[in-house]
Amino acid sequence: MKLVIRCAAVLAALSAGHASAQATAEAVAKKGFVQCGVNVGLAGFSQPDSQGVWKGIDVDLCRAVAAAVLGDASKVRYTPLTAQQRFTALQSGEVDILSRNTTWTLSRDTSLGLNFAGVNYYDGQGFMVPAKRKVKSAKQLNGATVCVQPGTTTELNLADYFRTHKMKFKPVVIEKLEEVLNAYFTGRCDVYTTDVSGLVAVRASRAPKPAEHVILPEVISKEPLGPAVRHGDDRWFDIVKWSLYAMIEAEELGLSSKNIEQQAGSANPAVQRFVGATGDLGKMLGLDNRWAVHIIKQVGNYAESFDANLKPLGFERGINKLWTQGGLMYAPPIR
Amino acid sequence: MKKGWLYQAALLAALGLVFWVFASNTAQNLEVRRIASGFGFLSREAGFEIGETAFLAYSAADSYARALAVGLANTLWVAALGVVLATLLGLAVGLARLSPNWLLARLAAAYVETLRNVPLLVQLFFWYAIISEGLPPPAEALQPLPGVFLSNRGVFFPLPGDAPALTGFNFAGGAALSPEFAALLTGLATYTAAFIAEIVRAGIESVPRGQREAARSLGLRHADEVRCVVLPQALRLAVPPLTSQYLNLAKNSSLAVAIGYPDFVSIANTTMNQTGQAIEGVALIMAVFLTISLSISAFMNWYNRRVALRGLRR
């Protein structure tokens, strides 16, 4: 699978003309759906439910873009991608958006030819250990064997942390999530490391007995997770960026999927602009003027997405609260 | 004759043009998408750790080139040991299959049919599961011999003046065989041995009956007949097909990536992801495996010429 994607990337790079770089929005309108690269299965972020319907906050971002561009949040097709496949899939044009709990870093933003459209979850890397090991702090992990997935910032932060604290460790690097978790749960490794959100999700949804695993207090990195698009298509970049901001702004304005129709007649000028009753913000994006209504009505605001997908797994809003409540979620003015 | 050359030259020119178009188009597309290209990344700091290193010292502060060299050494190490073990095991099973002992022959046949008809990847997962789930954690390690510890972290052997001891999470000291390495080596050796056994059997059965009858009429015992008369002739026949099994083993070692052994492909994959330079990475993987395979081929051809009967046409 990985090789297939790599070969596809190489072939696409070989054959594609460069006209394609400019026209993702037109291509999406023409084919009638958004092709979205998501995680192969991370509870709360992107995972198919028992009916095979994809759910999660990363999935909601894809649905928001489909609602904004096509007026229908269900017009999304999903491509599950491993950490290793994700960038090539985006670069080669196989997916229109990469919404796959991906950390925004300088080198990815530049040398990988990506543009990060914002942050839909502020995360950080942590460690999970079996409770019976009686480990209280990551500083006690000298000599531990650590299970980790390849091709992520996780692998680099891990090496940095142990170097900084002059400790040794042995990595066991396995690509498939099932295999790496199996290695941890069967005791091949002492520690499993990934973003804290991933640890919480894995503990809640994959651990045979969730209570037997503890997440250590140290958060060893900044992991702003967000959607990414290809370099060189500014219009598509704008659409994805403002679709995300619309969800955050709606929470701040108190607009939700339940009340947006009633609120459309509100006297608040910010709401009037948001729903497209005044001004032509939608047209500036090259979209229907009710683009934001489609998003909020069909997908919901950021809080609704968070509560539906992450809260049931035991996630706290924490630093992902709105800036007005002491968090980091902040949308630039929609005007 | 002249016309023939002209066609050949035209074909070559056309091929060259196709490659040139592909190469320049790729370069242009990478440029347009602002994707970095070139091999400059090789000297940059890798920043990730590698679980086990055969022969070469490595730390996260070393360069990508060094990390890839470690991966290459790991690949060569498992492939070399795999070839030796597969040959020995294959020879034994091949002989057993021809044994007059009914039970032994049937067991050998069952071995061959099972091992070569189950995909290698499945077998690797099987061996890895046996080791990581079947063995106890380090604190309850088995001790089959004094100083030798068997746990789900691998096998630990004592070295002179350096005995393994349990410290904190794991054993330290001595020499160690990781579960990933053990699973990969076992999988490669047992799988390839099934094919080698058949090659050995074919080689032996192709030795003319007259040779065996002559050996027996000279009064040689069965063991001597096999060792002195049959095998020298049979193994000579087995060399060319053995070459392709050795090539397969070396190439199959790249399945290591599935069970977490840091072979060349695994390190190259990580490098590609950290740097985003997939085209360079794939080119490196191709170059490395081509070099390994051509080297094995060249060696086996040299060996074949050496053992072949001079002047004998088959």
Side-chain angles (χ1 to χ4, degrees):
Chain A
M1 186 63 192
K2 179 173 58 234
L3 261 176
V4 173
I5 295 224
R6 288 216 186 291
C7 293
V10 172
L11 278 180
L14 286 168
S15 57
H18 43 280
S20 68
Q22 280 300 334
T24 313
E26 284 79 2
V28 164
K30 203 168 159 205
K31 67 187 174 182
F33 61 88
V34 176
Q35 191 78 42
C36 194
V38 293
N39 198 308
V40 290
L42 179 62
F45 286 81
S46 50
Q47 182 164 280
D49 67 10
S50 54
Q51 268 89 49
V53 181
W54 286 87
K55 293 274 166 68
I57 62 162
D58 284 349
V59 166
D60 278 353
L61 192 274
C62 301
R63 298 178 62 235
V65 174
V69 180
L70 303 165
D72 185 349
S74 67
K75 292 196 170 146
V76 185
R77 293 195 189 167
Y78 299 96
T79 305
L81 298 167
T82 68
Q84 293 205 319
Q85 297 161 342
R86 55 186 164 178
F87 299 122
T88 336
L90 182 62
Q91 290 164 344
S92 65
E94 197 182 332
V95 297
D96 301 316
I97 313 171
L98 181 69
S99 183
R100 192 208 167 279
N101 56 301
T102 299
T103 305
W104 183 355
T105 69
L106 185 147
S107 60
R108 287 174 174 178
D109 213 341
T110 55
S111 76
L112 290 185
L114 310 183
N115 275 333
F116 282 86
V119 178
N120 67 342
Y121 190 89
Y122 288 93
D123 211 340
Q125 185 175 343
F127 298 101
M128 180 160 76
V129 294
K132 64 170 193 278
R133 305 281 334 202
K134 309 239 183 301
V135 173
K136 292 279 170 286
S137 153
K139 299 208 174 65
Q140 296 169 286
L141 292 177
N142 193 16
T145 305
V146 183
C147 273
V148 59
Q149 281 186 284
T152 56
T153 46
T154 319
E155 222 179 334
L156 303 177
N157 295 329
L158 173 67
D160 280 0
Y161 183 80
F162 277 78
R163 261 160 91 185
T164 311
H165 291 86
K166 299 200 168 45
M167 300 192 298
K168 285 197 183 309
F169 74 103
K170 268 207 178 302
V172 173
V173 183
I174 305 180
E175 191 196 351
K176 283 248 181 304
L177 183 67
E178 285 76 20
E179 301 297 332
V180 77
L181 290 180
N182 200 36
Y184 168 70
F185 288 127
T186 57
R188 169 64 187 104
C189 302
D190 303 300
V191 187
Y192 174 58
T193 183
T194 188
D195 295 345
V196 173
S197 63
L199 295 177
V200 172
V202 155
R203 183 170 63 172
S205 66
R206 309 259 188 151
K209 288 181 185 153
E212 288 179 0
H213 300 274
V214 293
I215 295 168
L216 299 179
E218 285 86 355
V219 174
I220 66 167
S221 68
K222 290 187 287 192
E223 309 287 342
L225 310 180
V229 296
R230 281 179 293 279
H231 262 185
D233 188 345
D234 289 349
R235 199 181 139 215
W236 184 244
F237 179 42
D238 286 342
I239 290 173
V240 174
K241 180 165 50 183
W242 289 99
S243 297
L244 168 63
Y245 285 146
M247 292 176 72
I248 298 170
E249 178 77 1
E251 184 185 354
E252 195 179 330
L253 291 174
L255 299 173
S256 71
S257 59
K258 310 274 181 311
N259 70 7
I260 185 132
E261 291 291 2
Q262 295 93 295
Q263 292 290 311
S266 147
N268 182 341
V271 174
Q272 288 293 300
R273 279 193 298 272
F274 190 88
V275 301
T278 59
D280 43 13
L281 297 176
K283 291 205 185 81
M284 292 177 194
L285 285 166
L287 300 174
D288 185 282
N289 222 25
R290 282 168 58 80
W291 65 287
V293 177
H294 295 314
I295 295 178
I296 303 309
K297 186 133 185 264
Q298 298 178 35
V299 184
N301 66 31
Y302 183 78
E304 288 181 282
S305 177
F306 194 102
D307 292 347
N309 297 301
L310 296 174
K311 213 173 181 184
L313 296 170
F315 281 74
E316 303 283 341
R317 269 301 278 271
I319 56 173
N320 290 295
K321 285 184 187 142
L322 288 180
W323 66 289
T324 47
Q325 295 155 17
L328 294 173
M329 281 297 161
Y330 182 109
I334 297 193
R335 69 180 306 152
Chain B
M1 190 65 196
K2 274 259 169 67
K3 222 173 178 181
W5 278 105
L6 211 63
Y7 284 134
Q8 305 259 358
L11 183 66
L12 196 67
L15 264 177
L17 187 69
V18 167
F19 275 110
W20 181 80
V21 167
F22 271 175
S24 65
N25 201 11
T26 306
Q28 196 181 17
N29 277 320
L30 290 176
E31 175 73 33
V32 167
R33 289 167 197 191
R34 310 265 161 75
I35 300 173
S37 60
F39 286 93
F41 69 90
L42 284 175
S43 58
R44 291 210 300 267
E45 183 186 283
F48 58 89
E49 274 296 342
I50 299 178
E52 55 190 303
T53 55
F55 315 115
L56 292 174
Y58 172 84
S59 83
D62 286 323
S63 65
Y64 280 113
R66 180 89 185 173
L68 288 166
V70 168
L72 177 58
N74 284 345
T75 290
L76 291 175
W77 173 229
V78 77
L81 276 180
V83 161
V84 173
L85 289 181
T87 309
L88 295 176
L89 186 62
L91 184 60
V93 175
L95 289 176
R97 211 173 162 187
L98 292 171
S99 158
N101 182 325
W102 184 86
L103 183 64
L104 192 59
R106 286 305 141 98
L107 280 176
Y111 173 91
V112 168
E113 293 308 335
T114 315
L115 272 281
R116 73 174 180 174
N117 288 316
V118 175
L120 177 56
L121 186 61
V122 176
Q123 296 189 32
L124 290 180
F125 282 131
F126 170 79
W127 291 114
Y128 191 49
I130 291 261
I131 296 172
S132 59
E133 296 183 38
L135 291 174
E140 302 150 28
L142 306 172
Q143 205 173 349
L145 293 168
V148 176
F149 296 95
L150 209 59
S151 75
N152 61 10
R153 301 300 158 80
V155 191
F156 289 81
F157 308 97
L159 291 176
D162 184 14
L166 189 61
T167 53
F169 287 101
N170 203 348
F171 288 94
L177 204 60
S178 77
E180 292 76 24
F181 180 81
L184 181 64
L185 182 60
T186 312
L188 286 176
T190 52
Y191 177 75
T192 314
F195 292 89
I196 293 182
E198 286 297 275
I199 293 172
V200 169
R201 184 168 73 106
I204 289 175
E205 297 212 313
S206 72
V207 174
R209 277 172 66 89
Q211 294 281 327
R212 287 172 160 255
E213 287 163 359
R216 253 172 273 153
S217 51
L218 282 173
L220 293 182
R221 280 177 298 152
H222 179 73
D224 288 336
E225 173 196 323
V226 170
R227 194 169 58 85
C228 303
V229 176
V230 178
L231 275 188
Q233 302 187 65
L235 292 186
R236 184 178 287 143
L237 282 177
V239 169
L242 263 186
T243 307
S244 56
Q245 290 309 322
Y246 291 168
L247 292 176
N248 280 345
L249 190 146
K251 286 180 286 182
N252 285 340
S253 73
S254 61
L255 290 173
V257 71
I259 54 168
Y261 177 71
D263 78 324
F264 186 80
V265 176
S266 154
I267 305 286
N269 271 337
T270 300
T271 303
M272 276 187 254
N273 280 291
Q274 306 295 6
T275 61
Q277 293 182 253
I279 293 178
E280 290 82 352
V282 171
L284 277 176
I285 295 177
M286 282 165 55
V288 159
F289 277 91
L290 200 59
T291 309
I292 295 176
S293 295
L294 289 179
S295 308
I296 294 177
S297 253
F299 173 79
M300 291 301 284
N301 287 343
W302 167 81
Y303 182 72
N304 189 32
R305 274 198 303 279
R306 234 182 64 117
V307 297
L309 289 178
R310 305 241 154 110
L312 186 72
R313 294 265 183 275
R314 283 202 164 81

